[in-house]
Amino acid sequence: MKKLKKLPIGIQTFKEIRDKEENYIYIDKTKEALDLIKNGKYYFLSRPRRFGKSLFLDTLQDIFEGKKELFEGLYIYDKWDWEDRYPVIKIGWSGDLRSIESMKIRGSDVLRENQQRLDIVCEEKRHLSSCFGDLIKKSYEKYGKKVVILIDEYDKPILDNLDQIEVAKASRELLRGLYSVMKENDRYIKFVFLTGVSKFSKASIFSGLNNLRDISLLPRYGTICGYTQKNIETDFKELLEGVDLGELQKWYNGYNFLSEKVYNPFDILLFIDSEKEFSNYWFNTGTPSFLIKLFQKEHYNIAKLENLRTNESLLNSFDIESLNLETVMFQSGYLTIKKIVQKRRRKEYILTYPNLETKMSFNDYLLDVLVKNRSRKIEIQNELMDMMEEKNLEGIEQVFKSLFASIAYNNYTKNDIEDYEGFYASVIYAYFAGAGFDRIVAEDATSDGRIDLSVFLDDMLYIFEFKVNQKGALEQIKEKNYPQKYETKFSDIFIVGVEFDSKSRNIVHYEWERV
């Protein structure tokens, strides 16, 4: 019987994965690596966490250090001169980064580790940037070869401190000083590759590095990290025996970097290791608390994230002084590109949740913050699913009222949140999405307006209109004939008008009809 390959869960070392004795599964990314090396010098790649960035960086290191034996059977094996070796400086940010002092200590430790590995002694320097510059020059002089620089999670010191803005700003200045050294030492450098989650503007971090090539949304590198559908159906075929691949795709595929959609590797490996049980593996590795704080602070309508229209500048405009929820969600992997709309002189991007895991998990996490009692939240979600399946419209009203009665409004920094219609739509959307409804459309366009929320369940459709301190929600649905576009497609269509009072912060009028 053929022995199944092992799962490299949490392993970011290329050498360990390629150890023949260990028999780990590995998806070959050396074609992309060779293309990068041959066609450029300075690169930046943004991908969500746990997406394989560190492993790719480690692969690059082993290529430049000429470790030929690790690449047998891979694309690059007979296409690279393994005698042509280069000194490699590798910088990674891990551990405690919650103060500038701890960042400086970590930076000093990393540079010292590189000196030991390269057998180089640098003069004691007070500043990290001076030590980094010294390391580049001395590596070049010792080995007579230009230096390769690999920086993993370049932005982690900033992202770890988004809840303490002054430390985040100081981190940005420290990194700007460190990374600017590469520009000053360009003549000693062969190749630079940086990875991260966020995409700060070049002016804010990469001072002077105007030749840094951002390949994050370059189609030919769209699958540089992650697993493709072909990988799932071939490389993982034996490991996924008996699995409904359509369901797997719905749960974990969907990340779009303007090429073929990809799966997050962490999801697939944990899914297989957890006896093929569908669950929220990637999401549970890190809670997006800073996203929730943004929602609490600003008037965002979470329901609109299902089909969010934005432009390219917003996708790249990560600014710690003025964080934008949509930008942070896209760069962190909670949203992805659904499609591109070409305008006359510009492009518009339609964003959405990548898959069922992110959609359910983000909204469920939001609800955990909103409600006072987590066990009551779960009860309400179960009741909501039951009422919808049973077509119990009176029951849905009671569930909605229980829902808003359970919300801790003192979580919010703005006192007028209860006056905002989008807040109520956000909460109801979050309950539907968190409960596992996978077909929910916010601001569903019709010939005469936009439906606040459409919820599809089997052959049933529920159309909701919300109003705050106003009347006529159901009348608006009927006047604008919102159900018309769906009348021939569903056996049951229910229209529901829900009116809220900002003083009581709950429903004051609820009526419905069956079309």
PDB file of all heavy atoms in Angstrom, residues 469-497:
ATOM      1  N   ASN A 469     -36.656  55.574  12.621  1.00  0.00           N
ATOM      2  CA  ASN A 469     -37.459  56.767  12.913  1.00  0.00           C
ATOM      3  C   ASN A 469     -38.297  57.203  11.715  1.00  0.00           C
ATOM      4  O   ASN A 469     -38.560  58.396  11.517  1.00  0.00           O
ATOM      5  CB  ASN A 469     -36.565  57.928  13.383  1.00  0.00           C
ATOM      6  CG  ASN A 469     -35.823  57.591  14.663  1.00  0.00           C
ATOM      7  OD1 ASN A 469     -36.304  56.833  15.493  1.00  0.00           O
ATOM      8  ND2 ASN A 469     -34.630  58.147  14.812  1.00  0.00           N
ATOM      9  N   GLN A 470     -38.655  56.244  10.886  1.00  0.00           N
ATOM     10  CA  GLN A 470     -39.499  56.512   9.721  1.00  0.00           C
ATOM     11  C   GLN A 470     -40.502  55.376   9.555  1.00  0.00           C
ATOM     12  O   GLN A 470     -40.298  54.275  10.062  1.00  0.00           O
ATOM     13  CB  GLN A 470     -38.661  56.608   8.441  1.00  0.00           C
ATOM     14  CG  GLN A 470     -37.696  57.763   8.388  1.00  0.00           C
ATOM     15  CD  GLN A 470     -36.940  57.782   7.063  1.00  0.00           C
ATOM     16  OE1 GLN A 470     -37.551  57.779   5.993  1.00  0.00           O
ATOM     17  NE2 GLN A 470     -35.630  57.772   7.135  1.00  0.00           N
ATOM     18  N   LYS A 471     -41.556  55.668   8.815  1.00  0.00           N
ATOM     19  CA  LYS A 471     -42.549  54.647   8.515  1.00  0.00           C
ATOM     20  C   LYS A 471     -42.524  54.320   7.025  1.00  0.00           C
ATOM     21  O   LYS A 471     -41.865  54.991   6.240  1.00  0.00           O
ATOM     22  CB  LYS A 471     -43.943  55.124   8.930  1.00  0.00           C
ATOM     23  CG  LYS A 471     -44.102  55.329  10.423  1.00  0.00           C
ATOM     24  CD  LYS A 471     -45.523  55.760  10.762  1.00  0.00           C
ATOM     25  CE  LYS A 471     -45.679  55.921  12.279  1.00  0.00           C
ATOM     26  NZ  LYS A 471     -47.057  56.333  12.647  1.00  0.00           N
ATOM     27  N   GLY A 472     -43.240  53.269   6.650  1.00  0.00           N
ATOM     28  CA  GLY A 472     -43.413  52.953   5.234  1.00  0.00           C
ATOM     29  C   GLY A 472     -42.425  51.984   4.642  1.00  0.00           C
ATOM     30  O   GLY A 472     -42.217  51.968   3.420  1.00  0.00           O
ATOM     31  N   ALA A 473     -41.815  51.134   5.461  1.00  0.00           N
ATOM     32  CA  ALA A 473     -40.819  50.184   4.941  1.00  0.00           C
ATOM     33  C   ALA A 473     -41.461  49.185   3.977  1.00  0.00           C
ATOM     34  O   ALA A 473     -40.970  48.980   2.860  1.00  0.00           O
ATOM     35  CB  ALA A 473     -40.138  49.454   6.094  1.00  0.00           C
ATOM     36  N   LEU A 474     -42.564  48.567   4.402  1.00  0.00           N
ATOM     37  CA  LEU A 474     -43.211  47.584   3.535  1.00  0.00           C
ATOM     38  C   LEU A 474     -43.801  48.248   2.297  1.00  0.00           C
ATOM     39  O   LEU A 474     -43.723  47.696   1.190  1.00  0.00           O
ATOM     40  CB  LEU A 474     -44.310  46.840   4.300  1.00  0.00           C
ATOM     41  CG  LEU A 474     -44.937  45.657   3.550  1.00  0.00           C
ATOM     42  CD1 LEU A 474     -43.911  44.547   3.371  1.00  0.00           C
ATOM     43  CD2 LEU A 474     -46.173  45.124   4.274  1.00  0.00           C
ATOM     44  N   GLU A 475     -44.374  49.451   2.480  1.00  0.00           N
ATOM     45  CA  GLU A 475     -44.953  50.177   1.340  1.00  0.00           C
ATOM     46  C   GLU A 475     -43.903  50.463   0.279  1.00  0.00           C
ATOM     47  O   GLU A 475     -44.187  50.403  -0.921  1.00  0.00           O
ATOM     48  CB  GLU A 475     -45.585  51.490   1.812  1.00  0.00           C
ATOM     49  CG  GLU A 475     -46.897  51.337   2.553  1.00  0.00           C
ATOM     50  CD  GLU A 475     -46.712  50.822   3.975  1.00  0.00           C
ATOM     51  OE1 GLU A 475     -45.541  50.759   4.446  1.00  0.00           O
ATOM     52  OE2 GLU A 475     -47.721  50.452   4.604  1.00  0.00           O
ATOM     53  N   GLN A 476     -42.669  50.747   0.703  1.00  0.00           N
ATOM     54  CA  GLN A 476     -41.602  51.022  -0.266  1.00  0.00           C
ATOM     55  C   GLN A 476     -41.301  49.797  -1.112  1.00  0.00           C
ATOM     56  O   GLN A 476     -41.089  49.897  -2.320  1.00  0.00           O
ATOM     57  CB  GLN A 476     -40.335  51.491   0.448  1.00  0.00           C
ATOM     58  CG  GLN A 476     -39.178  51.787  -0.515  1.00  0.00           C
ATOM     59  CD  GLN A 476     -37.991  52.413   0.185  1.00  0.00           C
ATOM     60  OE1 GLN A 476     -38.160  53.265   1.050  1.00  0.00           O
ATOM     61  NE2 GLN A 476     -36.787  51.999  -0.190  1.00  0.00           N
ATOM     62  N   ILE A 477     -41.279  48.628  -0.474  1.00  0.00           N
ATOM     63  CA  ILE A 477     -41.022  47.388  -1.224  1.00  0.00           C
ATOM     64  C   ILE A 477     -42.085  47.201  -2.306  1.00  0.00           C
ATOM     65  O   ILE A 477     -41.773  46.860  -3.462  1.00  0.00           O
ATOM     66  CB  ILE A 477     -41.019  46.168  -0.280  1.00  0.00           C
ATOM     67  CG1 ILE A 477     -39.877  46.286   0.740  1.00  0.00           C
ATOM     68  CG2 ILE A 477     -40.874  44.866  -1.082  1.00  0.00           C
ATOM     69  CD1 ILE A 477     -39.873  45.169   1.779  1.00  0.00           C
ATOM     70  N   LYS A 478     -43.346  47.450  -1.925  1.00  0.00           N
ATOM     71  CA  LYS A 478     -44.445  47.233  -2.872  1.00  0.00           C
ATOM     72  C   LYS A 478     -44.487  48.309  -3.947  1.00  0.00           C
ATOM     73  O   LYS A 478     -44.692  48.013  -5.135  1.00  0.00           O
ATOM     74  CB  LYS A 478     -45.776  47.171  -2.110  1.00  0.00           C
ATOM     75  CG  LYS A 478     -45.871  45.940  -1.215  1.00  0.00           C
ATOM     76  CD  LYS A 478     -47.280  45.696  -0.713  1.00  0.00           C
ATOM     77  CE  LYS A 478     -47.659  46.691   0.372  1.00  0.00           C
ATOM     78  NZ  LYS A 478     -48.960  46.333   0.991  1.00  0.00           N
ATOM     79  N   GLU A 479     -44.253  49.572  -3.558  1.00  0.00           N
ATOM     80  CA  GLU A 479     -44.280  50.669  -4.539  1.00  0.00           C
ATOM     81  C   GLU A 479     -43.198  50.499  -5.599  1.00  0.00           C
ATOM     82  O   GLU A 479     -43.423  50.762  -6.787  1.00  0.00           O
ATOM     83  CB  GLU A 479     -44.092  52.009  -3.829  1.00  0.00           C
ATOM     84  CG  GLU A 479     -45.313  52.471  -3.043  1.00  0.00           C
ATOM     85  CD  GLU A 479     -45.026  53.703  -2.209  1.00  0.00           C
ATOM     86  OE1 GLU A 479     -43.908  54.272  -2.368  1.00  0.00           O
ATOM     87  OE2 GLU A 479     -45.898  54.108  -1.419  1.00  0.00           O
ATOM     88  N   LYS A 480     -42.023  50.064  -5.179  1.00  0.00           N
ATOM     89  CA  LYS A 480     -40.911  49.904  -6.115  1.00  0.00           C
ATOM     90  C   LYS A 480     -40.869  48.508  -6.736  1.00  0.00           C
ATOM     91  O   LYS A 480     -39.991  48.204  -7.534  1.00  0.00           O
ATOM     92  CB  LYS A 480     -39.585  50.221  -5.417  1.00  0.00           C
ATOM     93  CG  LYS A 480     -39.475  51.695  -5.001  1.00  0.00           C
ATOM     94  CD  LYS A 480     -38.123  52.007  -4.392  1.00  0.00           C
ATOM     95  CE  LYS A 480     -37.995  53.480  -4.022  1.00  0.00           C
ATOM     96  NZ  LYS A 480     -37.959  54.353  -5.205  1.00  0.00           N
ATOM     97  N   ASN A 481     -41.826  47.684  -6.340  1.00  0.00           N
ATOM     98  CA  ASN A 481     -41.977  46.340  -6.910  1.00  0.00           C
ATOM     99  C   ASN A 481     -40.653  45.557  -6.890  1.00  0.00           C
ATOM    100  O   ASN A 481     -40.224  44.969  -7.885  1.00  0.00           O
ATOM    101  CB  ASN A 481     -42.522  46.421  -8.343  1.00  0.00           C
ATOM    102  CG  ASN A 481     -43.115  45.093  -8.798  1.00  0.00           C
ATOM    103  OD1 ASN A 481     -43.350  44.193  -7.985  1.00  0.00           O
ATOM    104  ND2 ASN A 481     -43.345  44.958 -10.083  1.00  0.00           N
ATOM    105  N   TYR A 482     -40.000  45.541  -5.733  1.00  0.00           N
ATOM    106  CA  TYR A 482     -38.718  44.862  -5.596  1.00  0.00           C
ATOM    107  C   TYR A 482     -38.761  43.368  -5.964  1.00  0.00           C
ATOM    108  O   TYR A 482     -37.795  42.836  -6.520  1.00  0.00           O
ATOM    109  CB  TYR A 482     -38.196  45.012  -4.167  1.00  0.00           C
ATOM    110  CG  TYR A 482     -37.682  46.398  -3.830  1.00  0.00           C
ATOM    111  CD1 TYR A 482     -37.598  46.818  -2.501  1.00  0.00           C
ATOM    112  CD2 TYR A 482     -37.260  47.291  -4.821  1.00  0.00           C
ATOM    113  CE1 TYR A 482     -37.104  48.079  -2.169  1.00  0.00           C
ATOM    114  CE2 TYR A 482     -36.782  48.548  -4.500  1.00  0.00           C
ATOM    115  CZ  TYR A 482     -36.705  48.943  -3.170  1.00  0.00           C
ATOM    116  OH  TYR A 482     -36.233  50.191  -2.849  1.00  0.00           O
ATOM    117  N   PRO A 483     -39.865  42.659  -5.653  1.00  0.00           N
ATOM    118  CA  PRO A 483     -39.848  41.208  -5.937  1.00  0.00           C
ATOM    119  C   PRO A 483     -39.910  40.857  -7.419  1.00  0.00           C
ATOM    120  O   PRO A 483     -39.678  39.694  -7.782  1.00  0.00           O
ATOM    121  CB  PRO A 483     -41.118  40.702  -5.221  1.00  0.00           C
ATOM    122  CG  PRO A 483     -41.529  41.790  -4.290  1.00  0.00           C
ATOM    123  CD  PRO A 483     -41.080  43.060  -4.928  1.00  0.00           C
ATOM    124  N   GLN A 484     -40.224  41.821  -8.282  1.00  0.00           N
ATOM    125  CA  GLN A 484     -40.505  41.513  -9.694  1.00  0.00           C
ATOM    126  C   GLN A 484     -39.393  40.709 -10.357  1.00  0.00           C
ATOM    127  O   GLN A 484     -39.652  39.751 -11.096  1.00  0.00           O
ATOM    128  CB  GLN A 484     -40.756  42.799 -10.475  1.00  0.00           C
ATOM    129  CG  GLN A 484     -41.153  42.558 -11.930  1.00  0.00           C
ATOM    130  CD  GLN A 484     -41.396  43.869 -12.665  1.00  0.00           C
ATOM    131  OE1 GLN A 484     -40.789  44.889 -12.377  1.00  0.00           O
ATOM    132  NE2 GLN A 484     -42.309  43.847 -13.620  1.00  0.00           N
ATOM    133  N   LYS A 485     -38.129  41.062 -10.090  1.00  0.00           N
ATOM    134  CA  LYS A 485     -37.007  40.405 -10.770  1.00  0.00           C
ATOM    135  C   LYS A 485     -36.850  38.934 -10.378  1.00  0.00           C
ATOM    136  O   LYS A 485     -36.140  38.183 -11.031  1.00  0.00           O
ATOM    137  CB  LYS A 485     -35.698  41.170 -10.517  1.00  0.00           C
ATOM    138  CG  LYS A 485     -35.231  41.154  -9.070  1.00  0.00           C
ATOM    139  CD  LYS A 485     -33.978  42.005  -8.852  1.00  0.00           C
ATOM    140  CE  LYS A 485     -32.728  41.331  -9.371  1.00  0.00           C
ATOM    141  NZ  LYS A 485     -31.485  42.040  -9.008  1.00  0.00           N
ATOM    142  N   TYR A 486     -37.524  38.535  -9.300  1.00  0.00           N
ATOM    143  CA  TYR A 486     -37.371  37.167  -8.817  1.00  0.00           C
ATOM    144  C   TYR A 486     -38.643  36.315  -8.890  1.00  0.00           C
ATOM    145  O   TYR A 486     -38.624  35.144  -8.507  1.00  0.00           O
ATOM    146  CB  TYR A 486     -36.897  37.189  -7.353  1.00  0.00           C
ATOM    147  CG  TYR A 486     -35.518  37.759  -7.154  1.00  0.00           C
ATOM    148  CD1 TYR A 486     -35.329  38.949  -6.462  1.00  0.00           C
ATOM    149  CD2 TYR A 486     -34.395  37.102  -7.652  1.00  0.00           C
ATOM    150  CE1 TYR A 486     -34.049  39.473  -6.264  1.00  0.00           C
ATOM    151  CE2 TYR A 486     -33.115  37.612  -7.464  1.00  0.00           C
ATOM    152  CZ  TYR A 486     -32.955  38.800  -6.767  1.00  0.00           C
ATOM    153  OH  TYR A 486     -31.690  39.309  -6.572  1.00  0.00           O
ATOM    154  N   GLU A 487     -39.738  36.882  -9.360  1.00  0.00           N
ATOM    155  CA  GLU A 487     -41.038  36.221  -9.260  1.00  0.00           C
ATOM    156  C   GLU A 487     -41.096  34.858  -9.953  1.00  0.00           C
ATOM    157  O   GLU A 487     -41.808  33.956  -9.514  1.00  0.00           O
ATOM    158  CB  GLU A 487     -42.142  37.139  -9.793  1.00  0.00           C
ATOM    159  CG  GLU A 487     -42.499  38.240  -8.802  1.00  0.00           C
ATOM    160  CD  GLU A 487     -43.567  39.176  -9.334  1.00  0.00           C
ATOM    161  OE1 GLU A 487     -43.835  39.133 -10.560  1.00  0.00           O
ATOM    162  OE2 GLU A 487     -44.113  39.974  -8.552  1.00  0.00           O
ATOM    163  N   THR A 488     -40.356  34.680 -11.044  1.00  0.00           N
ATOM    164  CA  THR A 488     -40.396  33.412 -11.783  1.00  0.00           C
ATOM    165  C   THR A 488     -39.341  32.417 -11.295  1.00  0.00           C
ATOM    166  O   THR A 488     -39.288  31.285 -11.774  1.00  0.00           O
ATOM    167  CB  THR A 488     -40.195  33.658 -13.284  1.00  0.00           C
ATOM    168  OG1 THR A 488     -38.900  34.240 -13.498  1.00  0.00           O
ATOM    169  CG2 THR A 488     -41.281  34.585 -13.828  1.00  0.00           C
ATOM    170  N   LYS A 489     -38.519  32.832 -10.329  1.00  0.00           N
ATOM    171  CA  LYS A 489     -37.393  31.997  -9.919  1.00  0.00           C
ATOM    172  C   LYS A 489     -37.588  31.313  -8.576  1.00  0.00           C
ATOM    173  O   LYS A 489     -36.874  30.352  -8.261  1.00  0.00           O
ATOM    174  CB  LYS A 489     -36.110  32.843  -9.876  1.00  0.00           C
ATOM    175  CG  LYS A 489     -35.756  33.483 -11.216  1.00  0.00           C
ATOM    176  CD  LYS A 489     -34.518  34.367 -11.085  1.00  0.00           C
ATOM    177  CE  LYS A 489     -34.186  35.054 -12.410  1.00  0.00           C
ATOM    178  NZ  LYS A 489     -33.025  35.964 -12.283  1.00  0.00           N
ATOM    179  N   PHE A 490     -38.518  31.800  -7.761  1.00  0.00           N
ATOM    180  CA  PHE A 490     -38.681  31.244  -6.420  1.00  0.00           C
ATOM    181  C   PHE A 490     -40.142  30.907  -6.163  1.00  0.00           C
ATOM    182  O   PHE A 490     -41.044  31.655  -6.533  1.00  0.00           O
ATOM    183  CB  PHE A 490     -38.174  32.234  -5.362  1.00  0.00           C
ATOM    184  CG  PHE A 490     -36.686  32.461  -5.415  1.00  0.00           C
ATOM    185  CD1 PHE A 490     -36.148  33.462  -6.216  1.00  0.00           C
ATOM    186  CD2 PHE A 490     -35.822  31.651  -4.703  1.00  0.00           C
ATOM    187  CE1 PHE A 490     -34.779  33.661  -6.283  1.00  0.00           C
ATOM    188  CE2 PHE A 490     -34.455  31.841  -4.767  1.00  0.00           C
ATOM    189  CZ  PHE A 490     -33.929  32.842  -5.561  1.00  0.00           C
ATOM    190  N   SER A 491     -40.353  29.790  -5.484  1.00  0.00           N
ATOM    191  CA  SER A 491     -41.733  29.353  -5.200  1.00  0.00           C
ATOM    192  C   SER A 491     -42.345  30.168  -4.071  1.00  0.00           C
ATOM    193  O   SER A 491     -43.560  30.354  -4.018  1.00  0.00           O
ATOM    194  CB  SER A 491     -41.744  27.869  -4.832  1.00  0.00           C
ATOM    195  OG  SER A 491     -40.942  27.631  -3.690  1.00  0.00           O
ATOM    196  N   ASP A 492     -41.517  30.651  -3.148  1.00  0.00           N
ATOM    197  CA  ASP A 492     -42.008  31.466  -2.032  1.00  0.00           C
ATOM    198  C   ASP A 492     -41.190  32.745  -1.926  1.00  0.00           C
ATOM    199  O   ASP A 492     -39.949  32.684  -1.788  1.00  0.00           O
ATOM    200  CB  ASP A 492     -41.912  30.704  -0.716  1.00  0.00           C
ATOM    201  CG  ASP A 492     -42.986  29.639  -0.583  1.00  0.00           C
ATOM    202  OD1 ASP A 492     -44.174  29.978  -0.756  1.00  0.00           O
ATOM    203  OD2 ASP A 492     -42.635  28.476  -0.319  1.00  0.00           O
ATOM    204  N   ILE A 493     -41.852  33.892  -1.979  1.00  0.00           N
ATOM    205  CA  ILE A 493     -41.195  35.183  -1.792  1.00  0.00           C
ATOM    206  C   ILE A 493     -41.931  35.923  -0.675  1.00  0.00           C
ATOM    207  O   ILE A 493     -43.155  36.113  -0.725  1.00  0.00           O
ATOM    208  CB  ILE A 493     -41.204  36.028  -3.077  1.00  0.00           C
ATOM    209  CG1 ILE A 493     -40.436  35.314  -4.202  1.00  0.00           C
ATOM    210  CG2 ILE A 493     -40.586  37.405  -2.813  1.00  0.00           C
ATOM    211  CD1 ILE A 493     -40.431  36.065  -5.525  1.00  0.00           C
ATOM    212  N   PHE A 494     -41.172  36.337   0.338  1.00  0.00           N
ATOM    213  CA  PHE A 494     -41.738  37.084   1.452  1.00  0.00           C
ATOM    214  C   PHE A 494     -41.119  38.477   1.479  1.00  0.00           C
ATOM    215  O   PHE A 494     -39.890  38.617   1.355  1.00  0.00           O
ATOM    216  CB  PHE A 494     -41.459  36.375   2.773  1.00  0.00           C
ATOM    217  CG  PHE A 494     -42.023  34.986   2.849  1.00  0.00           C
ATOM    218  CD1 PHE A 494     -41.230  33.879   2.512  1.00  0.00           C
ATOM    219  CD2 PHE A 494     -43.333  34.768   3.230  1.00  0.00           C
ATOM    220  CE1 PHE A 494     -41.738  32.593   2.586  1.00  0.00           C
ATOM    221  CE2 PHE A 494     -43.852  33.477   3.299  1.00  0.00           C
ATOM    222  CZ  PHE A 494     -43.064  32.392   2.976  1.00  0.00           C
ATOM    223  N   ILE A 495     -41.960  39.504   1.617  1.00  0.00           N
ATOM    224  CA  ILE A 495     -41.457  40.873   1.747  1.00  0.00           C
ATOM    225  C   ILE A 495     -41.701  41.320   3.183  1.00  0.00           C
ATOM    226  O   ILE A 495     -42.773  41.111   3.751  1.00  0.00           O
ATOM    227  CB  ILE A 495     -42.114  41.825   0.733  1.00  0.00           C
ATOM    228  CG1 ILE A 495     -43.637  41.827   0.864  1.00  0.00           C
ATOM    229  CG2 ILE A 495     -41.692  41.457  -0.678  1.00  0.00           C
ATOM    230  CD1 ILE A 495     -44.325  42.850  -0.063  1.00  0.00           C
ATOM    231  N   VAL A 496     -40.662  41.939   3.771  1.00  0.00           N
ATOM    232  CA  VAL A 496     -40.702  42.258   5.196  1.00  0.00           C
ATOM    233  C   VAL A 496     -40.247  43.702   5.420  1.00  0.00           C
ATOM    234  O   VAL A 496     -39.143  44.074   5.021  1.00  0.00           O
ATOM    235  CB  VAL A 496     -39.794  41.308   6.011  1.00  0.00           C
ATOM    236  CG1 VAL A 496     -39.978  41.532   7.508  1.00  0.00           C
ATOM    237  CG2 VAL A 496     -40.053  39.851   5.642  1.00  0.00           C
ATOM    238  N   GLY A 497     -41.095  44.502   6.045  1.00  0.00           N
ATOM    239  CA  GLY A 497     -40.737  45.863   6.417  1.00  0.00           C
ATOM    240  C   GLY A 497     -40.433  45.935   7.895  1.00  0.00           C
ATOM    241  O   GLY A 497     -41.248  45.520   8.728  1.00  0.00           O
TER     242      GLY A 497
END
